[in-house]
Amino acid sequence: MADPSTDAIPNVAGPDPAQDAAIREICARHGDDPHRMMDILHDVQARFRWISPASMESVAAATGLTRVAVEGVASFYAFFALSPKGRVTIRVCDDIIDRFAGMPAVRAAFEAALGIGLGSTTECGAVSLEETPCIGLCDQAPAAMVGDVVLTRLTPERAKEVARALLAGARPEELVCDGFDGLAPHAKATRQVANNIRLAGNVLLAPVPDEAGLRRTMAIDPAAILDTVEASGLRGCGGAGFSTGRKWRFAAATQAPRRVVICNADEGEPGTFKDRVLLTERPHLLIEGMTVAARAVGASEGILYLRGEYAYLRPLIDEVLEDRRARGLLGRSILGAEGFDFDIRLQMGAGAYICGEEGALISSCEGLPGEPKTRPPFPVTQGYLGLPTVVNNVETFCHVARILDRGADWFRAMGTGGSHGTKLFSVSGDCARPGIYELPYGHSVAELLEMSGGEDAAAVLVGGPSGTMIGRDAFDRHLTFDDLATGGAVIVFDGSRNILEIVEYYMSFFVHESCGYCTPCRVGNVFLQKAVAKFRQGLANQADIDYLRDLSATIIETSRCGLGTTSPNPILSTLENFPLVYSAMIKPNPDRLRATFDIQSAIDGARKIAHRRSYIHDRDFSE
Ligand SMILES: Cc1cc2nc3c(=O)[nH]c(=O)nc-3n(C[C@H](O)[C@H](O)[C@H](O)COP(=O)(O)O)c2cc1C
Ligand code: SF4
């Protein structure tokens, strides 16, 4: 059954008055504001299934931008389609965990049942089939997005059923369960995805009293909130581990007409899914934490940036925001406090891992391509629209609300050394009990493996691909900022896995996700991936090990943002901890990798592999 709303208006590439009028109406709904470009493009795509050249002209005219600027945004994000798509797009998750869990057979079943390959649309226009990196469901792989719905633990049989149902006109929602539409938004989310909470700790997943942290906040002045958060020792849970209290102090101390609080719910690091669980289980606690932050730094505007892969959580978050406005917990004079005005808008991402980097996230919120910003200035002094901006991870905000309720000492007493409180670990891969474990900092990897049934592990990747891969001899190392830091991901691999296959996969991930702004990251990672492939094929020689190290060092030193400075980590940590994996693949004869090195063809290859169409980046090549 075709969607009548998309059939009413012709879906044309060229100028069309009816389409132009519909797009003008969409833009008007967003105040013709170029900073709302992400919302506008999402709506245009939802209406017409793709963003045609004519649509871009209409959007440009309405928002006062050039067509080139609109295309620059539309072409940056993987979920915006620049060619016609089917009524429903299936995006199978291409993460390595999904591959190991059987995704190749599931994908083949989709292809066979739909009669198309990846990147194509069925002739009848019903379904497009694509693949996408980690969608945050490694604990229930193989998984896929079907429109905005997610399907987990797929089998080839289920894939065939889903494909046939979609071809027969079913809506994605109908594939989840009967009566989906009758469920509350919250139930819609939990019916699709298991939260797999294996261990609830004392802070975030323990029973949480309603608004206790926010009420306590209202009883003290903003300076005392800053003191409490700083004294708790809380460090950011998104990966970098910066002191939350200190970050807030910088923002509060910067003179400005307005300040902004942004929640980073982009959660794109492969193997990480703890924010997904917090968004589902603790959405009120998250918004409470953001509101505490607003009170502390004097912010009036909030943005919750939700990754496009979590679109199925949007109704839940919208409902929570509405509920809080109705209860006086958001909006004007929060809890009756004159002058405490703070509200939050939900900003949907559109399939770009780099948007988790805070500068890129801010760019995306501003309606721009998700490119990191040059630092300094740092967001705390000049962030969103040039205003002082606090960006924190979902888990960090949830912690804040609990700290305000229970006090800094309570939180500081948990954990160890410079790592206070608890942490949510997303455990996946070759273990019997994948899921979420809330533990105080300081447990060893071996202890976590025992809890999760991963005793057969031969390698564990702590912190996702930008983290560290360790072997059995290092399982007694500790999960802390000072030893093995992680934003949450702990990925378990047993002895049957090929380390070089894993490394090559993660390098291909970074190649795909590089925003393309700087040459070392855009091109260097392609070379690294190719060099790893050479080891896998048994074609490398001793000099290639030096080559891997040298090129990695160059990329780390010269890249502008954290993606480039961490992208060689899968190689560096396996060279360090699994040297035999490389030396065993070295062939006796010297190879000519560098002798045959041709910069232009390598750059062309990089461009092709990175799928980046932006003409903005092309300038770099000739400069
Ligand atoms: C490539 C890249 C991706 C990132 N992805 C995320 C993410 O998905 N979620 C997140 O909270 N932080 C992510 N970060 C870290 C953010 O830049 C930022 O440090 C964090 O949101 C700050 O919040 P916190 O202090 O509460 O950790 C990423 C960083 C980089 C370099
Ligand atoms: S390091 Fe990579 S992701 Fe970061 S700005 Fe440069 S090209 Fe973009």
Side-chain angles (χ1 to χ4, degrees):
M1 191 180 67
D3 179 351
S5 67
T6 55
D7 284 354
I9 304 288
N11 180 13
V12 291
D16 178 89
Q19 178 175 287
D20 182 61
I23 292 176
R24 296 294 185 121
E25 195 189 306
I26 288 172
C27 293
R29 271 210 309 274
H30 297 290
D32 293 330
D33 182 353
H35 299 308
R36 304 303 290 273
M37 188 57 66
M38 294 293 288
D39 298 326
I40 291 171
L41 295 179
H42 269 299
D43 287 358
V44 169
Q45 175 155 299
R47 184 84 163 89
F48 299 104
R49 299 185 197 166
W50 68 300
I51 301 167
S52 66
S55 316
M56 292 184 213
E57 296 283 2
S58 301
V59 171
T63 55
L65 294 179
T66 61
R67 141 88 195 273
V68 168
V70 175
E71 187 169 354
V73 182
S75 63
F76 186 87
Y77 297 89
F79 287 4
F80 289 144
L82 301 192
S83 57
K85 292 284 163 190
R87 181 175 55 82
V88 179
T89 297
I90 299 175
R91 293 190 173 93
V92 295
C93 180
D94 181 42
D95 188 67
I96 191 90
I97 298 299
D98 291 66
R99 287 188 191 181
F100 289 162
M103 181 53 90
V106 169
R107 190 182 58 211
F110 272 126
E111 288 175 334
L114 295 169
I116 54 171
L118 281 179
S120 310
T121 300
T122 54
E123 247 180 62
C124 62
V127 185
S128 298
L129 184 63
E130 295 177 0
E131 64 182 3
T132 191
C134 184
I135 59 174
L137 292 163
C138 295
D139 55 332
Q140 41 214 301
M145 300 173 68
V146 179
D148 285 349
V149 160
V150 289
L151 302 178
T152 67
R153 296 196 194 288
L154 285 164
T155 58
E157 294 65 41
R158 176 79 175 123
K160 280 184 202 150
E161 258 173 49
V162 167
R164 286 189 202 115
L166 291 172
L167 288 175
R171 289 177 300 121
E173 292 79 1
E174 293 169 86
L175 300 171
V176 179
C177 62
D178 290 340
F180 182 96
D181 281 341
L183 299 170
H186 192 282
K188 279 185 188 173
T190 51
R191 282 299 276 274
Q192 292 177 51
V193 173
N195 280 339
N196 285 332
I197 296 172
R198 307 284 181 179
L199 185 73
N202 291 335
V203 182
L204 301 177
L205 299 174
V208 171
D210 271 359
E211 312 307 327
L214 183 58
R215 288 185 198 285
R216 169 96 185 105
T217 301
M218 306 307 288
I220 55 179
D221 64 21
I225 305 172
L226 294 174
D227 289 343
T228 305
V229 175
E230 195 166 352
S232 73
L234 174 65
R235 293 170 67 171
C237 302
F242 193 79
S243 155
T244 305
R246 281 184 56 207
K247 182 186 277 190
W248 291 12
R249 257 188 220 292
F250 286 124
T254 304
Q255 293 303 316
R258 279 146 53 214
R259 295 186 190 80
V260 183
V261 168
I262 299 183
C263 172
N264 187 341
D266 199 51
E267 191 158 64
E269 190 74 27
T272 314
F273 47 88
K274 48 119 190 155
D275 293 341
R276 177 198 94 208
V277 173
L278 285 174
L279 286 159
T280 315
E281 292 283 332
R282 293 285 180 266
H284 280 282
L285 193 69
L286 163 63
I287 309 296
E288 188 185 342
M290 289 180 73
T291 313
V292 171
R295 179 80 170 159
V297 305
S300 52
E301 290 174 56
I303 302 172
L304 198 167
Y305 190 94
L306 186 65
R307 71 185 303 215
E309 291 81 349
Y310 291 172
Y312 72 100
L313 294 177
R314 184 178 188 151
L316 187 163
I317 305 291
D318 279 338
E319 187 194 71
V320 167
L321 293 174
E322 267 315 309
D323 173 68
R324 295 183 73 84
R325 286 182 195 115
R327 289 196 287 140
L329 299 169
L330 278 180
R332 300 192 77 81
S333 305
I334 290 174
L335 285 174
E338 196 63 30
F340 182 21
D341 305 334
F342 176 67
D343 211 332
I344 296 172
R345 78 172 166 90
L346 186 58
Q347 176 67 69
M348 290 307 301
Y353 164 71
I354 188 58
C355 286
E357 193 279 338
E358 61 185 1
L361 181 112
I362 290 170
S363 297
S364 190
C365 291
E366 291 171 337
L368 299 169
E371 283 169 354
K373 295 177 187 279
T374 302
R375 297 143 68 107
F378 291 91
V380 279
T381 55
Q382 273 182 59
Y384 178 68
L385 302 178
L387 300 165
T389 304
V390 160
V391 179
N392 277 122
N393 175 255
V394 171
E395 188 181 356
T396 313
F397 282 121
C398 291
H399 275 309
V400 160
R402 297 291 285 135
I403 288 166
L404 264 294
D405 172 26
R406 299 294 304 271
D409 292 344
W410 169 77
F411 190 81
R412 200 177 175 85
M414 288 177 269
T416 171
S419 308
H420 300 282
T422 62
K423 174 89 194 98
L424 296 195
F425 297 100
S426 324
V427 183
S428 64
D430 298 317
C431 59
R433 292 176 291 282
I436 295 294
Y437 295 77
E438 183 186 5
L439 292 168
Y441 280 107
H443 280 273
S444 69
V445 172
E447 286 168 328
L448 187 53
L449 288 174
E450 201 185 326
M451 290 177 215
S452 56
E455 293 94 338
D456 290 341
V460 177
L461 182 57
V462 182
S466 57
T468 311
M469 175 95 93
I470 56 166
R472 283 193 184 116
D473 56 345
F475 287 174
D476 57 349
R477 288 181 63 183
H478 294 95
L479 297 160
T480 64
F481 286 109
D482 301 324
D483 191 356
L484 287 170
T486 171
V490 177
I491 310 174
V492 183
F493 298 106
D494 68 23
S496 70
R497 307 302 180 193
N498 178 341
I499 298 278
L500 288 178
E501 180 187 356
I502 297 166
V503 172
E504 191 188 347
Y505 167 76
Y506 285 133
M507 292 319 298
S508 74
F509 168 78
F510 286 125
V511 166
H512 187 263
E513 296 302 323
S514 164
C515 83
Y517 181 89
C518 17
T519 309
C521 171
R522 183 186 63 237
V523 181
N525 283 317
V526 176
F527 293 157
L528 285 181
Q529 185 194 343
K530 284 186 176 172
V532 175
K534 210 173 144 192
F535 276 91
R536 276 189 77 192
Q537 292 154 12
L539 296 174
N541 60 49
Q542 187 61 38
D544 290 318
I545 293 199
D546 298 334
Y547 173 74
L548 285 175
R549 288 212 169 94
D550 292 349
L551 182 53
S552 295
T554 305
I555 295 171
I556 290 170
E557 219 168 282
T558 52
S559 289
R560 181 161 83 142
C561 87
L563 187 148
T565 58
T566 57
S567 57
N569 284 1
I571 292 174
L572 293 177
S573 69
T574 48
L575 274 174
E576 174 82 19
N577 299 322
F578 300 86
L580 289 179
V581 162
Y582 290 86
S583 55
M585 297 303 284
I586 286 176
K587 64 172 188 151
N589 295 329
D591 179 273
R592 295 194 316 247
L593 178 77
R594 276 179 290 179
T596 57
F597 180 89
D598 167 352
I599 183 76
Q600 193 52 51
S601 68
I603 284 174
D604 290 346
R607 184 193 251 162
K608 209 166 149 199
I609 293 171
H611 297 307
R612 293 291 178 214
R613 292 161 291 197
S614 175
Y615 38 82
I616 296 170
H617 309 135
D618 287 358
R619 277 196 1 195
D620 278 345
F621 291 105
S622 56
E623 278 170 5

